[in-house]
Amino acid sequence: MKSSRELLELDKILSLTASYAVLDESKAALEALEPTEEIEEARTRLAMTDEATRLLFFLGAGRVEYFPPCGDKLERAEKGATLTCAELMDCGRMLRSVRVFYDSVTALSDESIRLFRGLAERLVFDRGLEAEIAAKIVSEDDVADTASERLFSLRREIRLLGERIRAKLSQYLTGDDRKYLQDGIVTVRGDRFVIPVKAEYKRSIRGFVHDRSQSGSTVFLEPEEILEMNNELRSLTLDEKEEVERILGDLSKRIGRIRAALETSLALVSEADTFYARAEYGYALHATMPALNAKGIVDIVKGRHPLLDQKTAVPVSVSVGENYRFLILSGANTGGKTVTLKMCGLFCLMAACGLFVPAAEGTRLCVGSVFCDVGDSQSIEENLSTFSSHIVSLREILRHAGENSFVLIDEPGGGTDPEEGQALARAVLSALMRKGCRGIVTTHYGSLKEFAYETPGMENGSMEFDADGFRPLYRLKMGEPGSSNALAICTRLGLPEETVEEARGYLSEGARAFERTLRAAEESRVRAEESRARAEELKREWRERLGALEREEEKFAREREKFLASSKAEARRIVSERTARAEELLAEIEEIFRKETLSESDLIAARTRKNQMQKGTMSEEEAPIRAIPVEISSLKEGDRVYVGSLQTEGTVLSLSRSKQTAEVQAGALRVKAEFSDLFVPSPQKREKAQVRVTQTLSDRAAVRSEINLIGMTTAEMESELEKFLDSAVLANLSEVRIVHGMGTGKLRAAVHALLKKHKRVESFRLGKYGEGESGVTIATLR
């Protein structure tokens, strides 16, 4: 009998998860992982996966660094074996990986990372040993010259001696003995420097033959005079080898001494790597962390089977185990019943392994024993037919399932006589109900659908089917059974129409009536769902429009209030400017009349300032228009004119056309005015309807968005802050910064009290970090 793990394809999910692991040990551990039946262990696994997700994708922690398996190397090192350079490099990578993982976790200040920090704090590593291996082992077959002082000295001597030997042998290559040589090169045979000599001349050079070529035409001869030098070189080479062995042995012993601690660290790092792999697989699936329970409750919100294409899979919501114990799932063939059933069981096993599931937030899953009878498990070797294999599976389920076990059965009673199969299915369901189990059963049996209606603790559900398009919709509908639509699907799959019609004729009247009723109910339900969806869409659309209108109305009201406030502030400014100007002119007039004697120019200056005051306060209806110059050629004595510089009317007494001036009597004053200063006087007041007022304001300086009140008294502060807020409102600023300092807090309290009462202040707050904190208040204006 296949296990639930195999039937629900958990092995495939774990294999996919293992592909995200870095270490070989982690991959093997994930592929062999067994779902736990202990809810606390499952919650711990999920919490570790959640922390791994935050570490990788939100806190920027790095993955576990790769290193080859080192278990056998550590064991050999502990037993006294000397590891090779390559093996020591692997151990160095392991030490680095453990250290890097430790640093990446413990360096974070996020207090929510508790489990990973606890795991990291149990790690043992040796920074000094790691650094020594990195410094002394330069490749998989060589030790650095600087690994020890003696090795450095030996290799230096070897190089110098080798150069001396080559220099000595080069004399043979260039001297009289050159004619005896086969090639003009120096070579090495058996760690000794030799020269290639023609075989017929081997006695012409005194020395020792160490080797000959395959053809026999060349012998490799060591001249007698470099024998001692080669012996010395050989001795130095042996000393070098011994020193290298000593260095490797020393490093190996240090690793062997901490073997037990390192193996514990390896296991911990490998465990962390498995959770990083689970986090990456969940992130790729857009999966979420489910809530767990031990009561057999499964409530999946918009779940998608992880082995389906996540872009095209239709999300399915399923709930079972809380309001009812068993869900009887019916509907069309190829409609998604079996996929839905397997998804529910697979999600429970995934959660028990610490894996997130591809479903929406709010998904709840049970932890405990999951039993499954899905698919065709017939076996030729065990002499089991389809029906027999199902019976064996049901026997094991009934034998081992208990209270709160989650049971999944795909079409019980299949593979035999339908009447007997239906009876068997009802009996199995009744037995499971008595045991207190929960689960999902798929079926095409009408009597089983009726049984779900009659039995407390059971609920019907169906996979929806589009009868018009002859296609499944892969949506689950709770509370109603579904029609199998077998004949409709046969038509869709291309079975001859006449064959399908003949099959319909063989149906009993009761079966035809039942199918028609179910189909009509299903069609009505689908239409009702579509209508409801359209109504919801319209409701959402109108709600959005209404919200947009309300936002526009609020925006208009705010703009209106800003405009009114701006107008009031501008009016106050104009009145203030006019008043200040009037006081200035009045002061100038008083200054003139303080003189003991007044000249004619003093009187003209005083009258001019008086006229300026009248003009500044004159109403728009009273302000005359003096824009038409007089016609000089027709100007004569006795004409009425308007003198622009005096801003008053007068009578022409005399003219001097040569000097372009005229003597004018203006009240008690007699003045000389240039022709260019004379204008046609207004004959009468303008009609009110014809008044046009143009107000030209000088450009104002840019309004600052910050005011500094530090050092002011409360009274000074109130005056300055009021002016500042009026200017800010006039400039349509939405936010201002008020600097009051920290001090005793009295000035800050006074500022806040004024802001609370001010009509144009919508809200205010103390500054954040980087804004001045409690020494600054940020105010938002209406």
Side-chain angles (χ1 to χ4, degrees), residues 426-443:
R426 290 182 61 164
V428 170
L429 274 173
S430 297
L432 292 173
M433 288 284 287
R434 288 192 295 272
K435 282 177 168 284
C437 300
R438 291 169 171 81
I440 303 175
V441 174
T442 66
T443 188

Side-chain angles (χ1 to χ4, degrees), residues 344-414:
C344 294
L346 179 59
F347 276 14
C348 293
L349 296 182
M350 287 175 67
C353 290
L355 288 163
F356 288 3
V357 296
E361 295 288 345
T363 294
R364 296 181 293 163
L365 300 171
C366 66
V367 174
S369 52
V370 177
F371 296 94
C372 185
D373 177 30
V374 179
D376 186 357
S377 300
Q378 65 175 325
S379 171
I380 296 175
E381 293 178 356
E382 297 179 12
N383 195 27
L384 292 176
S385 65
T386 298
F387 177 73
S388 300
S389 66
H390 282 301
I391 295 304
V392 171
S393 297
L394 292 175
R395 179 194 67 196
E396 295 302 312
I397 291 173
L398 291 173
R399 178 178 298 171
H400 298 290
E403 187 175 3
N404 297 331
S405 293
F406 195 65
V407 180
L408 304 166
I409 305 177
D410 188 25
E411 299 188 18

Side-chain angles (χ1 to χ4, degrees), residues 552-566:
E552 285 295 324
E553 186 177 359
E554 290 176 2
K555 181 180 178 183
F556 175 76
R558 287 195 300 270
E559 291 296 328
R560 179 176 176 275
E561 289 180 6
K562 278 190 176 182
F563 176 75
L564 291 175
S566 176

Side-chain angles (χ1 to χ4, degrees), residues 160 273 391 420 432 470 678:
L160 293 174
D273 187 34
I391 295 304
E420 292 182 347
L432 292 173
F470 298 107
L678 302 179

Side-chain angles (χ1 to χ4, degrees), residues 37-96:
E37 294 188 6
E38 299 297 326
I39 188 167
E40 290 306 321
E41 183 180 353
R43 284 174 175 158
T44 301
R45 288 179 176 183
L46 284 176
M48 287 287 285
T49 305
D50 184 47
E51 287 191 10
T53 302
R54 276 180 284 160
L55 283 167
L56 285 179
F57 302 108
F58 300 99
L59 299 177
R63 286 297 310 269
V64 172
E65 290 190 6
Y66 175 77
F67 58 88
C70 294
D72 61 328
K73 302 178 182 68
L74 296 178
E75 183 179 0
R76 287 173 43 237
E78 185 186 37
K79 291 179 179 179
T82 298
L83 302 182
T84 65
C85 291
E87 291 172 332
L88 284 169
M89 287 186 75
D90 290 343
C91 292
R93 293 190 187 100
M94 173 199 65
L95 289 168
R96 171 181 167 79

Side-chain angles (χ1 to χ4, degrees), residues 487-629:
L487 298 181
I489 291 175
C490 289
T491 302
R492 176 174 175 263
L493 296 176
L495 201 66
E497 184 65 31
E498 58 273 14
T499 304
V500 175
E501 287 301 319
E502 183 177 351
R504 284 196 179 96
Y506 293 143
L507 290 174
S508 66
E509 184 58 36
R512 286 198 296 270
F514 184 70
E515 286 296 320
R516 282 196 299 271
T517 302
L518 284 181
R519 192 177 298 111
E522 193 166 350
E523 291 173 2
S524 298
R525 184 178 68 243
V526 171
R527 287 194 295 271
E529 286 292 331
E530 291 174 351
S531 298
R532 186 185 64 80
R534 285 196 297 270
E536 287 293 330
E537 180 64 22
L538 287 173
K539 183 179 179 182
R540 183 190 61 78
E541 182 180 342
W542 281 106
R543 190 182 293 116
E544 289 178 357
R545 291 186 180 183
L546 182 59
L549 287 174
E550 289 176 350
R551 288 191 295 272
E552 285 295 324
E553 186 177 359
E554 290 176 2
K555 181 180 178 183
F556 175 76
R558 287 195 300 270
E559 291 296 328
R560 179 176 176 275
E561 289 180 6
K562 278 190 176 182
F563 176 75
L564 291 175
S566 176
S567 300
K568 291 178 181 177
E570 183 68 14
R572 287 197 299 270
R573 188 188 68 79
I574 293 172
V575 170
S576 178
E577 288 180 356
R578 294 280 181 87
T579 302
R581 179 59 178 161
E583 290 176 352
E584 182 182 344
L585 293 172
L586 186 59
E588 291 177 0
I589 293 172
E590 290 176 353
E591 184 66 26
I592 291 172
F593 281 99
R594 285 196 187 99
K595 295 180 180 180
E596 294 181 358
T597 59
L598 296 176
S599 65
E600 183 176 344
S601 61
D602 289 335
L603 293 175
I604 292 173
R607 181 58 181 261
T608 300
R609 283 158 178 73
K610 176 186 176 185
N611 291 337
Q612 288 175 347
M613 288 179 59
Q614 289 175 340
K615 182 181 178 182
T617 57
M618 188 179 298
S619 66
E620 291 166 348
E621 290 81 3
E622 294 173 340
I625 296 178
R626 310 291 183 185
I628 305 174

